[in-house]
Amino acid sequence: MAALLAAAGPSAYGQESADIPAKKRNAAKLAGLVGFVNVNCSMLKTDVERFKGAVQSMGVDPAEIDRDALMLQARGYLAAYAKDVPASCTKAQELFGQRGRIIPGIFVPR
């Protein structure tokens, strides 16, 4: 899953936080993409339950993403995705949309 999430887009400010375990970094990356999509992609919205299930399958409690280092990491990813809104929305659809290559159904049509 880690290699597949790397395809989801840029890392936070171009670098990964070495002190955060890979599973948690991937959950933060997905959370950043979710936040980005909900604000910037007019054709997509998040299936919240599917997102929470995906994060849990990574071994991360979804509540962890809303605090401390993971929250900061997720915000960093959100900012990185916002650097190219059209490309990031397209990538979100391709990788996590209804027919997504990584985790289908995280993003659904609005």
Side-chain angles (χ1 to χ4, degrees), residues 27-37 51 65 73-79 81:
K29 185 178 280 191
L30 184 55
L33 187 59
V34 163
F36 166 82
V37 165
F51 163 67
I65 295 171
Q73 192 77 20
R75 286 182 181 175
Y77 286 116
L78 189 151
Y81 295 126

Side-chain angles (χ1 to χ4, degrees), residues 1-10 26 29 33 81 91-92 94-96 101-102:
M1 170 106 56
L4 293 174
L5 275 171
N26 287 333
K29 185 178 280 191
L33 187 59
Y81 295 126
K91 193 62 112 174
E94 290 172 1
L95 300 178
F96 301 100
R101 295 189 323 248
I102 296 177

Side-chain angles (χ1 to χ4, degrees), residues 38-103:
N38 289 337
V39 171
N40 295 287
C41 303
S42 63
M43 302 300 287
L44 298 173
K45 66 179 181 177
T46 302
D47 179 329
V48 176
E49 293 307 312
R50 182 84 171 125
F51 163 67
K52 287 180 182 179
V55 169
Q56 288 172 331
S57 75
M58 293 178 200
V60 178
D61 179 351
E64 283 186 73
I65 295 171
D66 291 333
R67 60 182 187 262
D68 303 326
L70 286 186
M71 180 183 67
L72 295 175
Q73 192 77 20
R75 286 182 181 175
Y77 286 116
L78 189 151
Y81 295 126
K83 290 179 181 178
D84 188 348
V85 171
S88 294
C89 289
T90 298
K91 193 62 112 174
Q93 174 68 34
E94 290 172 1
L95 300 178
F96 301 100
Q98 288 184 305
R99 295 187 186 110
R101 295 189 323 248
I102 296 177
I103 305 172

